[in-house]
PDB file of all heavy atoms in Angstrom:
ATOM      1  N   TYR O1698      -8.424  16.951   1.489  1.00  0.00           N
ATOM      2  CA  TYR O1698      -9.216  17.670   0.495  1.00  0.00           C
ATOM      3  C   TYR O1698      -9.962  18.848   1.106  1.00  0.00           C
ATOM      4  O   TYR O1698     -10.394  19.741   0.398  1.00  0.00           O
ATOM      5  CB  TYR O1698     -10.258  16.745  -0.147  1.00  0.00           C
ATOM      6  CG  TYR O1698      -9.677  15.508  -0.759  1.00  0.00           C
ATOM      7  CD1 TYR O1698      -9.758  14.279  -0.118  1.00  0.00           C
ATOM      8  CD2 TYR O1698      -9.035  15.577  -1.987  1.00  0.00           C
ATOM      9  CE1 TYR O1698      -9.221  13.142  -0.692  1.00  0.00           C
ATOM     10  CE2 TYR O1698      -8.489  14.438  -2.553  1.00  0.00           C
ATOM     11  CZ  TYR O1698      -8.590  13.220  -1.898  1.00  0.00           C
ATOM     12  OH  TYR O1698      -8.047  12.097  -2.454  1.00  0.00           O
ATOM     13  N   MET O1757     -11.569  10.980 -16.502  1.00  0.00           N
ATOM     14  CA  MET O1757     -12.258   9.695 -16.644  1.00  0.00           C
ATOM     15  C   MET O1757     -11.316   8.668 -17.258  1.00  0.00           C
ATOM     16  O   MET O1757     -10.638   8.937 -18.243  1.00  0.00           O
ATOM     17  CB  MET O1757     -13.491   9.877 -17.540  1.00  0.00           C
ATOM     18  CG  MET O1757     -14.376   8.637 -17.641  1.00  0.00           C
ATOM     19  SD  MET O1757     -15.814   8.895 -18.741  1.00  0.00           S
ATOM     20  CE  MET O1757     -15.024   8.669 -20.357  1.00  0.00           C
ATOM     21  N   LEU O1759     -10.468   5.349 -19.426  1.00  0.00           N
ATOM     22  CA  LEU O1759     -11.006   4.858 -20.695  1.00  0.00           C
ATOM     23  C   LEU O1759     -12.210   3.948 -20.464  1.00  0.00           C
ATOM     24  O   LEU O1759     -13.122   3.873 -21.285  1.00  0.00           O
ATOM     25  CB  LEU O1759      -9.895   4.091 -21.439  1.00  0.00           C
ATOM     26  CG  LEU O1759     -10.253   3.491 -22.782  1.00  0.00           C
ATOM     27  CD1 LEU O1759     -10.667   4.581 -23.768  1.00  0.00           C
ATOM     28  CD2 LEU O1759      -9.073   2.702 -23.343  1.00  0.00           C
ATOM     29  N   PRO O1849       0.774  -1.799   0.695  1.00  0.00           N
ATOM     30  CA  PRO O1849      -0.431  -1.323   1.385  1.00  0.00           C
ATOM     31  C   PRO O1849      -1.115  -0.175   0.635  1.00  0.00           C
ATOM     32  O   PRO O1849      -2.306   0.052   0.827  1.00  0.00           O
ATOM     33  CB  PRO O1849       0.089  -0.846   2.740  1.00  0.00           C
ATOM     34  CG  PRO O1849       1.479  -1.331   2.861  1.00  0.00           C
ATOM     35  CD  PRO O1849       1.987  -1.655   1.495  1.00  0.00           C
ATOM     36  N   TYR O1985      -5.307   5.650 -27.554  1.00  0.00           N
ATOM     37  CA  TYR O1985      -4.215   6.281 -26.817  1.00  0.00           C
ATOM     38  C   TYR O1985      -4.776   7.348 -25.895  1.00  0.00           C
ATOM     39  O   TYR O1985      -5.703   8.068 -26.258  1.00  0.00           O
ATOM     40  CB  TYR O1985      -3.225   6.927 -27.787  1.00  0.00           C
ATOM     41  CG  TYR O1985      -2.647   5.919 -28.736  1.00  0.00           C
ATOM     42  CD1 TYR O1985      -3.216   5.697 -29.990  1.00  0.00           C
ATOM     43  CD2 TYR O1985      -1.552   5.157 -28.356  1.00  0.00           C
ATOM     44  CE1 TYR O1985      -2.704   4.738 -30.849  1.00  0.00           C
ATOM     45  CE2 TYR O1985      -1.030   4.188 -29.211  1.00  0.00           C
ATOM     46  CZ  TYR O1985      -1.609   3.986 -30.452  1.00  0.00           C
ATOM     47  OH  TYR O1985      -1.104   3.035 -31.294  1.00  0.00           O
ATOM     48  N   ASN O1987      -4.420  10.904 -23.896  1.00  0.00           N
ATOM     49  CA  ASN O1987      -3.755  12.183 -24.132  1.00  0.00           C
ATOM     50  C   ASN O1987      -2.355  12.150 -23.527  1.00  0.00           C
ATOM     51  O   ASN O1987      -2.145  11.562 -22.457  1.00  0.00           O
ATOM     52  CB  ASN O1987      -4.586  13.298 -23.486  1.00  0.00           C
ATOM     53  CG  ASN O1987      -4.084  14.677 -23.869  1.00  0.00           C
ATOM     54  OD1 ASN O1987      -3.004  15.089 -23.461  1.00  0.00           O
ATOM     55  ND2 ASN O1987      -4.863  15.385 -24.665  1.00  0.00           N
ATOM     56  N   ALA O1988      -1.429  12.778 -24.209  1.00  0.00           N
ATOM     57  CA  ALA O1988      -0.036  12.727 -23.761  1.00  0.00           C
ATOM     58  C   ALA O1988       0.138  13.287 -22.350  1.00  0.00           C
ATOM     59  O   ALA O1988       1.129  12.998 -21.680  1.00  0.00           O
ATOM     60  CB  ALA O1988       0.854  13.497 -24.733  1.00  0.00           C
ATOM     61  N   ARG O1991       0.179  10.885 -17.567  1.00  0.00           N
ATOM     62  CA  ARG O1991       1.512  10.341 -17.336  1.00  0.00           C
ATOM     63  C   ARG O1991       1.527   8.821 -17.283  1.00  0.00           C
ATOM     64  O   ARG O1991       2.472   8.185 -17.716  1.00  0.00           O
ATOM     65  CB  ARG O1991       2.063  10.895 -16.013  1.00  0.00           C
ATOM     66  CG  ARG O1991       2.485  12.335 -16.172  1.00  0.00           C
ATOM     67  CD  ARG O1991       2.665  13.093 -14.881  1.00  0.00           C
ATOM     68  NE  ARG O1991       2.659  14.512 -15.237  1.00  0.00           N
ATOM     69  CZ  ARG O1991       3.732  15.290 -15.246  1.00  0.00           C
ATOM     70  NH1 ARG O1991       4.888  14.833 -14.846  1.00  0.00           N
ATOM     71  NH2 ARG O1991       3.641  16.542 -15.629  1.00  0.00           N
ATOM     72  N   HIS O2018       3.430  -6.389 -17.994  1.00  0.00           N
ATOM     73  CA  HIS O2018       4.154  -5.168 -18.391  1.00  0.00           C
ATOM     74  C   HIS O2018       5.265  -5.503 -19.378  1.00  0.00           C
ATOM     75  O   HIS O2018       5.856  -4.597 -19.949  1.00  0.00           O
ATOM     76  CB  HIS O2018       4.732  -4.473 -17.157  1.00  0.00           C
ATOM     77  CG  HIS O2018       5.855  -5.212 -16.511  1.00  0.00           C
ATOM     78  ND1 HIS O2018       5.680  -6.404 -15.838  1.00  0.00           N
ATOM     79  CD2 HIS O2018       7.175  -4.955 -16.453  1.00  0.00           C
ATOM     80  CE1 HIS O2018       6.844  -6.835 -15.400  1.00  0.00           C
ATOM     81  NE2 HIS O2018       7.766  -5.979 -15.749  1.00  0.00           N
ATOM     82  N   ARG O2054      20.650  -9.118 -12.704  1.00  0.00           N
ATOM     83  CA  ARG O2054      21.157  -7.824 -12.251  1.00  0.00           C
ATOM     84  C   ARG O2054      20.012  -6.842 -12.092  1.00  0.00           C
ATOM     85  O   ARG O2054      19.139  -6.736 -12.939  1.00  0.00           O
ATOM     86  CB  ARG O2054      22.160  -7.282 -13.270  1.00  0.00           C
ATOM     87  CG  ARG O2054      23.506  -7.988 -13.212  1.00  0.00           C
ATOM     88  CD  ARG O2054      24.420  -7.472 -14.286  1.00  0.00           C
ATOM     89  NE  ARG O2054      23.870  -7.748 -15.625  1.00  0.00           N
ATOM     90  CZ  ARG O2054      24.336  -7.197 -16.745  1.00  0.00           C
ATOM     91  NH1 ARG O2054      25.328  -6.319 -16.703  1.00  0.00           N
ATOM     92  NH2 ARG O2054      23.805  -7.510 -17.913  1.00  0.00           N
ATOM     93  N   LEU O2055      20.023  -6.094 -10.998  1.00  0.00           N
ATOM     94  CA  LEU O2055      18.953  -5.122 -10.780  1.00  0.00           C
ATOM     95  C   LEU O2055      19.124  -3.945 -11.724  1.00  0.00           C
ATOM     96  O   LEU O2055      18.145  -3.410 -12.233  1.00  0.00           O
ATOM     97  CB  LEU O2055      18.949  -4.668  -9.318  1.00  0.00           C
ATOM     98  CG  LEU O2055      17.825  -3.729  -8.891  1.00  0.00           C
ATOM     99  CD1 LEU O2055      16.450  -4.252  -9.286  1.00  0.00           C
ATOM    100  CD2 LEU O2055      17.887  -3.474  -7.397  1.00  0.00           C
ATOM    101  N   TYR O2056      20.375  -3.542 -11.950  1.00  0.00           N
ATOM    102  CA  TYR O2056      20.637  -2.444 -12.889  1.00  0.00           C
ATOM    103  C   TYR O2056      21.776  -2.847 -13.805  1.00  0.00           C
ATOM    104  O   TYR O2056      22.730  -3.489 -13.364  1.00  0.00           O
ATOM    105  CB  TYR O2056      21.012  -1.160 -12.125  1.00  0.00           C
ATOM    106  CG  TYR O2056      19.922  -0.731 -11.182  1.00  0.00           C
ATOM    107  CD1 TYR O2056      20.046  -0.899  -9.795  1.00  0.00           C
ATOM    108  CD2 TYR O2056      18.731  -0.191 -11.666  1.00  0.00           C
ATOM    109  CE1 TYR O2056      19.022  -0.534  -8.936  1.00  0.00           C
ATOM    110  CE2 TYR O2056      17.697   0.169 -10.811  1.00  0.00           C
ATOM    111  CZ  TYR O2056      17.850  -0.006  -9.446  1.00  0.00           C
ATOM    112  OH  TYR O2056      16.838   0.341  -8.600  1.00  0.00           O
ATOM    113  N   SER O2057      21.668  -2.476 -15.058  1.00  0.00           N
ATOM    114  CA  SER O2057      22.783  -2.751 -15.947  1.00  0.00           C
ATOM    115  C   SER O2057      22.836  -1.672 -17.017  1.00  0.00           C
ATOM    116  O   SER O2057      21.861  -0.952 -17.233  1.00  0.00           O
ATOM    117  CB  SER O2057      22.661  -4.137 -16.571  1.00  0.00           C
ATOM    118  OG  SER O2057      21.428  -4.249 -17.232  1.00  0.00           O
ATOM    119  N   HIS O2060      20.361  -2.899 -22.248  1.00  0.00           N
ATOM    120  CA  HIS O2060      19.057  -3.561 -22.184  1.00  0.00           C
ATOM    121  C   HIS O2060      19.294  -5.040 -21.986  1.00  0.00           C
ATOM    122  O   HIS O2060      19.725  -5.731 -22.916  1.00  0.00           O
ATOM    123  CB  HIS O2060      18.318  -3.396 -23.510  1.00  0.00           C
ATOM    124  CG  HIS O2060      17.686  -2.059 -23.687  1.00  0.00           C
ATOM    125  ND1 HIS O2060      16.627  -1.633 -22.942  1.00  0.00           N
ATOM    126  CD2 HIS O2060      17.970  -1.051 -24.536  1.00  0.00           C
ATOM    127  CE1 HIS O2060      16.269  -0.426 -23.319  1.00  0.00           C
ATOM    128  NE2 HIS O2060      17.075  -0.034 -24.289  1.00  0.00           N
ATOM    129  N   GLU O2084      -2.937 -11.361 -13.157  1.00  0.00           N
ATOM    130  CA  GLU O2084      -2.686 -10.005 -13.617  1.00  0.00           C
ATOM    131  C   GLU O2084      -3.680  -9.597 -14.702  1.00  0.00           C
ATOM    132  O   GLU O2084      -4.245 -10.440 -15.398  1.00  0.00           O
ATOM    133  CB  GLU O2084      -1.272  -9.898 -14.203  1.00  0.00           C
ATOM    134  CG  GLU O2084      -0.185 -10.034 -13.170  1.00  0.00           C
ATOM    135  CD  GLU O2084       1.191  -9.733 -13.765  1.00  0.00           C
ATOM    136  OE1 GLU O2084       1.278  -8.905 -14.697  1.00  0.00           O
ATOM    137  OE2 GLU O2084       2.160 -10.337 -13.296  1.00  0.00           O
ATOM    138  N   GLU O2091       3.740  -0.297 -26.108  1.00  0.00           N
ATOM    139  CA  GLU O2091       3.879  -0.514 -27.548  1.00  0.00           C
ATOM    140  C   GLU O2091       5.336  -0.744 -27.921  1.00  0.00           C
ATOM    141  O   GLU O2091       6.245  -0.306 -27.222  1.00  0.00           O
ATOM    142  CB  GLU O2091       3.386   0.725 -28.300  1.00  0.00           C
ATOM    143  CG  GLU O2091       1.885   0.829 -28.376  1.00  0.00           C
ATOM    144  CD  GLU O2091       1.470   1.792 -29.484  1.00  0.00           C
ATOM    145  OE1 GLU O2091       2.057   2.882 -29.569  1.00  0.00           O
ATOM    146  OE2 GLU O2091       0.556   1.449 -30.246  1.00  0.00           O
TER     147      GLU O2091
ATOM    148  N   TYR P1667       1.518  -4.986   7.733  1.00  0.00           N
ATOM    149  CA  TYR P1667       2.729  -5.795   7.683  1.00  0.00           C
ATOM    150  C   TYR P1667       2.785  -6.798   8.837  1.00  0.00           C
ATOM    151  O   TYR P1667       3.524  -7.762   8.778  1.00  0.00           O
ATOM    152  CB  TYR P1667       3.976  -4.915   7.766  1.00  0.00           C
ATOM    153  CG  TYR P1667       4.047  -3.850   6.709  1.00  0.00           C
ATOM    154  CD1 TYR P1667       3.761  -2.531   7.000  1.00  0.00           C
ATOM    155  CD2 TYR P1667       4.397  -4.178   5.410  1.00  0.00           C
ATOM    156  CE1 TYR P1667       3.824  -1.553   6.019  1.00  0.00           C
ATOM    157  CE2 TYR P1667       4.456  -3.210   4.419  1.00  0.00           C
ATOM    158  CZ  TYR P1667       4.164  -1.888   4.739  1.00  0.00           C
ATOM    159  OH  TYR P1667       4.219  -0.944   3.788  1.00  0.00           O
ATOM    160  N   MET P1726      16.453  -2.063  -4.010  1.00  0.00           N
ATOM    161  CA  MET P1726      17.143  -0.783  -3.874  1.00  0.00           C
ATOM    162  C   MET P1726      16.948   0.062  -5.130  1.00  0.00           C
ATOM    163  O   MET P1726      17.095  -0.418  -6.238  1.00  0.00           O
ATOM    164  CB  MET P1726      18.639  -1.017  -3.629  1.00  0.00           C
ATOM    165  CG  MET P1726      19.423   0.242  -3.318  1.00  0.00           C
ATOM    166  SD  MET P1726      21.206  -0.094  -3.097  1.00  0.00           S
ATOM    167  CE  MET P1726      21.730  -0.251  -4.825  1.00  0.00           C
ATOM    168  N   LEU P1728      18.022   2.854  -7.837  1.00  0.00           N
ATOM    169  CA  LEU P1728      19.303   3.159  -8.472  1.00  0.00           C
ATOM    170  C   LEU P1728      20.089   4.182  -7.660  1.00  0.00           C
ATOM    171  O   LEU P1728      21.320   4.175  -7.649  1.00  0.00           O
ATOM    172  CB  LEU P1728      19.037   3.696  -9.893  1.00  0.00           C
ATOM    173  CG  LEU P1728      20.249   4.089 -10.715  1.00  0.00           C
ATOM    174  CD1 LEU P1728      21.165   2.889 -10.948  1.00  0.00           C
ATOM    175  CD2 LEU P1728      19.825   4.687 -12.052  1.00  0.00           C
ATOM    176  N   PRO P1818      -3.363  12.622  -2.453  1.00  0.00           N
ATOM    177  CA  PRO P1818      -2.983  12.365  -1.055  1.00  0.00           C
ATOM    178  C   PRO P1818      -2.059  11.164  -0.915  1.00  0.00           C
ATOM    179  O   PRO P1818      -1.336  11.062   0.064  1.00  0.00           O
ATOM    180  CB  PRO P1818      -4.316  12.105  -0.358  1.00  0.00           C
ATOM    181  CG  PRO P1818      -5.370  12.509  -1.307  1.00  0.00           C
ATOM    182  CD  PRO P1818      -4.796  12.531  -2.685  1.00  0.00           C
ATOM    183  N   TYR P1954      19.743   0.737 -17.082  1.00  0.00           N
ATOM    184  CA  TYR P1954      18.407   0.163 -17.185  1.00  0.00           C
ATOM    185  C   TYR P1954      18.117  -0.687 -15.961  1.00  0.00           C
ATOM    186  O   TYR P1954      18.997  -1.401 -15.471  1.00  0.00           O
ATOM    187  CB  TYR P1954      18.298  -0.716 -18.436  1.00  0.00           C
ATOM    188  CG  TYR P1954      18.582   0.059 -19.688  1.00  0.00           C
ATOM    189  CD1 TYR P1954      19.869   0.101 -20.234  1.00  0.00           C
ATOM    190  CD2 TYR P1954      17.576   0.795 -20.295  1.00  0.00           C
ATOM    191  CE1 TYR P1954      20.132   0.843 -21.365  1.00  0.00           C
ATOM    192  CE2 TYR P1954      17.841   1.550 -21.429  1.00  0.00           C
ATOM    193  CZ  TYR P1954      19.126   1.572 -21.962  1.00  0.00           C
ATOM    194  OH  TYR P1954      19.380   2.313 -23.080  1.00  0.00           O
ATOM    195  N   ASN P1956      16.238  -3.849 -14.154  1.00  0.00           N
ATOM    196  CA  ASN P1956      15.824  -5.195 -14.544  1.00  0.00           C
ATOM    197  C   ASN P1956      14.383  -5.153 -15.070  1.00  0.00           C
ATOM    198  O   ASN P1956      13.550  -4.398 -14.570  1.00  0.00           O
ATOM    199  CB  ASN P1956      15.913  -6.114 -13.318  1.00  0.00           C
ATOM    200  CG  ASN P1956      15.715  -7.565 -13.686  1.00  0.00           C
ATOM    201  OD1 ASN P1956      14.619  -7.975 -14.060  1.00  0.00           O
ATOM    202  ND2 ASN P1956      16.775  -8.344 -13.586  1.00  0.00           N
ATOM    203  N   ALA P1957      14.131  -5.956 -16.074  1.00  0.00           N
ATOM    204  CA  ALA P1957      12.807  -5.939 -16.702  1.00  0.00           C
ATOM    205  C   ALA P1957      11.687  -6.244 -15.714  1.00  0.00           C
ATOM    206  O   ALA P1957      10.525  -5.907 -15.953  1.00  0.00           O
ATOM    207  CB  ALA P1957      12.772  -6.938 -17.859  1.00  0.00           C
ATOM    208  N   ARG P1960       8.581  -3.025 -12.782  1.00  0.00           N
ATOM    209  CA  ARG P1960       7.492  -2.547 -13.619  1.00  0.00           C
ATOM    210  C   ARG P1960       7.546  -1.046 -13.862  1.00  0.00           C
ATOM    211  O   ARG P1960       7.180  -0.563 -14.928  1.00  0.00           O
ATOM    212  CB  ARG P1960       6.143  -2.889 -12.962  1.00  0.00           C
ATOM    213  CG  ARG P1960       5.837  -4.352 -13.132  1.00  0.00           C
ATOM    214  CD  ARG P1960       4.781  -4.882 -12.180  1.00  0.00           C
ATOM    215  NE  ARG P1960       4.913  -6.323 -12.161  1.00  0.00           N
ATOM    216  CZ  ARG P1960       4.078  -7.171 -12.773  1.00  0.00           C
ATOM    217  NH1 ARG P1960       2.990  -6.733 -13.342  1.00  0.00           N
ATOM    218  NH2 ARG P1960       4.321  -8.456 -12.763  1.00  0.00           N
ATOM    219  N   HIS P1987       7.709  13.603 -18.390  1.00  0.00           N
ATOM    220  CA  HIS P1987       7.359  12.286 -18.935  1.00  0.00           C
ATOM    221  C   HIS P1987       7.246  12.355 -20.452  1.00  0.00           C
ATOM    222  O   HIS P1987       7.129  11.321 -21.101  1.00  0.00           O
ATOM    223  CB  HIS P1987       6.050  11.782 -18.325  1.00  0.00           C
ATOM    224  CG  HIS P1987       4.845  12.551 -18.770  1.00  0.00           C
ATOM    225  ND1 HIS P1987       4.592  13.847 -18.379  1.00  0.00           N
ATOM    226  CD2 HIS P1987       3.821  12.204 -19.596  1.00  0.00           C
ATOM    227  CE1 HIS P1987       3.464  14.262 -18.939  1.00  0.00           C
ATOM    228  NE2 HIS P1987       2.978  13.290 -19.673  1.00  0.00           N
ATOM    229  N   ARG P2023      -8.220  16.053 -26.780  1.00  0.00           N
ATOM    230  CA  ARG P2023      -8.993  14.823 -26.576  1.00  0.00           C
ATOM    231  C   ARG P2023      -8.333  13.962 -25.511  1.00  0.00           C
ATOM    232  O   ARG P2023      -7.118  13.779 -25.524  1.00  0.00           O
ATOM    233  CB  ARG P2023      -9.086  14.042 -27.888  1.00  0.00           C
ATOM    234  CG  ARG P2023     -10.049  14.653 -28.891  1.00  0.00           C
ATOM    235  CD  ARG P2023     -10.018  13.879 -30.197  1.00  0.00           C
ATOM    236  NE  ARG P2023      -8.696  13.942 -30.806  1.00  0.00           N
ATOM    237  CZ  ARG P2023      -8.309  13.176 -31.830  1.00  0.00           C
ATOM    238  NH1 ARG P2023      -9.141  12.284 -32.347  1.00  0.00           N
ATOM    239  NH2 ARG P2023      -7.096  13.291 -32.338  1.00  0.00           N
ATOM    240  N   LEU P2024      -9.156  13.435 -24.616  1.00  0.00           N
ATOM    241  CA  LEU P2024      -8.583  12.597 -23.563  1.00  0.00           C
ATOM    242  C   LEU P2024      -8.141  11.254 -24.149  1.00  0.00           C
ATOM    243  O   LEU P2024      -7.118  10.704 -23.740  1.00  0.00           O
ATOM    244  CB  LEU P2024      -9.604  12.415 -22.437  1.00  0.00           C
ATOM    245  CG  LEU P2024      -9.142  11.637 -21.213  1.00  0.00           C
ATOM    246  CD1 LEU P2024      -7.835  12.190 -20.637  1.00  0.00           C
ATOM    247  CD2 LEU P2024     -10.227  11.655 -20.132  1.00  0.00           C
ATOM    248  N   TYR P2025      -8.925  10.723 -25.081  1.00  0.00           N
ATOM    249  CA  TYR P2025      -8.569   9.455 -25.731  1.00  0.00           C
ATOM    250  C   TYR P2025      -8.745   9.610 -27.230  1.00  0.00           C
ATOM    251  O   TYR P2025      -9.684  10.259 -27.679  1.00  0.00           O
ATOM    252  CB  TYR P2025      -9.463   8.316 -25.220  1.00  0.00           C
ATOM    253  CG  TYR P2025      -9.337   8.135 -23.718  1.00  0.00           C
ATOM    254  CD1 TYR P2025     -10.360   8.539 -22.862  1.00  0.00           C
ATOM    255  CD2 TYR P2025      -8.165   7.617 -23.164  1.00  0.00           C
ATOM    256  CE1 TYR P2025     -10.223   8.408 -21.481  1.00  0.00           C
ATOM    257  CE2 TYR P2025      -8.026   7.496 -21.791  1.00  0.00           C
ATOM    258  CZ  TYR P2025      -9.053   7.892 -20.960  1.00  0.00           C
ATOM    259  OH  TYR P2025      -8.912   7.779 -19.611  1.00  0.00           O
ATOM    260  N   SER P2026      -7.853   9.026 -27.989  1.00  0.00           N
ATOM    261  CA  SER P2026      -8.049   9.058 -29.431  1.00  0.00           C
ATOM    262  C   SER P2026      -7.426   7.806 -30.035  1.00  0.00           C
ATOM    263  O   SER P2026      -6.630   7.123 -29.389  1.00  0.00           O
ATOM    264  CB  SER P2026      -7.440  10.315 -30.041  1.00  0.00           C
ATOM    265  OG  SER P2026      -6.089  10.407 -29.694  1.00  0.00           O
ATOM    266  N   HIS P2029      -1.983   8.243 -32.289  1.00  0.00           N
ATOM    267  CA  HIS P2029      -1.028   8.984 -31.470  1.00  0.00           C
ATOM    268  C   HIS P2029      -1.239  10.460 -31.751  1.00  0.00           C
ATOM    269  O   HIS P2029      -0.874  10.947 -32.812  1.00  0.00           O
ATOM    270  CB  HIS P2029       0.400   8.644 -31.887  1.00  0.00           C
ATOM    271  CG  HIS P2029       0.884   7.344 -31.343  1.00  0.00           C
ATOM    272  ND1 HIS P2029       1.133   7.150 -30.007  1.00  0.00           N
ATOM    273  CD2 HIS P2029       1.184   6.176 -31.958  1.00  0.00           C
ATOM    274  CE1 HIS P2029       1.567   5.909 -29.829  1.00  0.00           C
ATOM    275  NE2 HIS P2029       1.600   5.292 -30.985  1.00  0.00           N
ATOM    276  N   GLU P2053       9.400  19.825 -11.514  1.00  0.00           N
ATOM    277  CA  GLU P2053       9.434  18.384 -11.758  1.00  0.00           C
ATOM    278  C   GLU P2053      10.867  17.858 -11.789  1.00  0.00           C
ATOM    279  O   GLU P2053      11.813  18.609 -12.043  1.00  0.00           O
ATOM    280  CB  GLU P2053       8.785  18.066 -13.114  1.00  0.00           C
ATOM    281  CG  GLU P2053       7.297  18.286 -13.143  1.00  0.00           C
ATOM    282  CD  GLU P2053       6.689  17.810 -14.459  1.00  0.00           C
ATOM    283  OE1 GLU P2053       7.217  16.849 -15.057  1.00  0.00           O
ATOM    284  OE2 GLU P2053       5.696  18.405 -14.884  1.00  0.00           O
ATOM    285  N   GLU P2060      12.573   6.163 -23.275  1.00  0.00           N
ATOM    286  CA  GLU P2060      13.469   6.097 -24.425  1.00  0.00           C
ATOM    287  C   GLU P2060      12.676   6.145 -25.729  1.00  0.00           C
ATOM    288  O   GLU P2060      11.511   5.753 -25.771  1.00  0.00           O
ATOM    289  CB  GLU P2060      14.252   4.775 -24.404  1.00  0.00           C
ATOM    290  CG  GLU P2060      15.392   4.775 -23.433  1.00  0.00           C
ATOM    291  CD  GLU P2060      16.389   3.668 -23.767  1.00  0.00           C
ATOM    292  OE1 GLU P2060      15.944   2.534 -24.031  1.00  0.00           O
ATOM    293  OE2 GLU P2060      17.583   3.945 -23.764  1.00  0.00           O
TER     294      GLU P2060
END
Side-chain angles (χ1 to χ4, degrees):
Chain O
Y1698 304 103
M1757 186 181 80
L1759 180 61
Y1985 301 94
N1987 189 291
R1991 285 163 197 253
H2018 70 291
R2054 285 177 298 167
L2055 184 51
Y2056 301 106
S2057 56
H2060 282 292
E2084 291 188 31
E2091 283 198 314
Chain P
Y1667 304 103
M1726 187 182 78
L1728 179 61
Y1954 301 93
N1956 189 291
R1960 284 162 198 255
H1987 70 290
R2023 286 176 298 168
L2024 184 52
Y2025 301 107
S2026 55
H2029 281 291
E2053 291 186 31
E2060 282 199 315

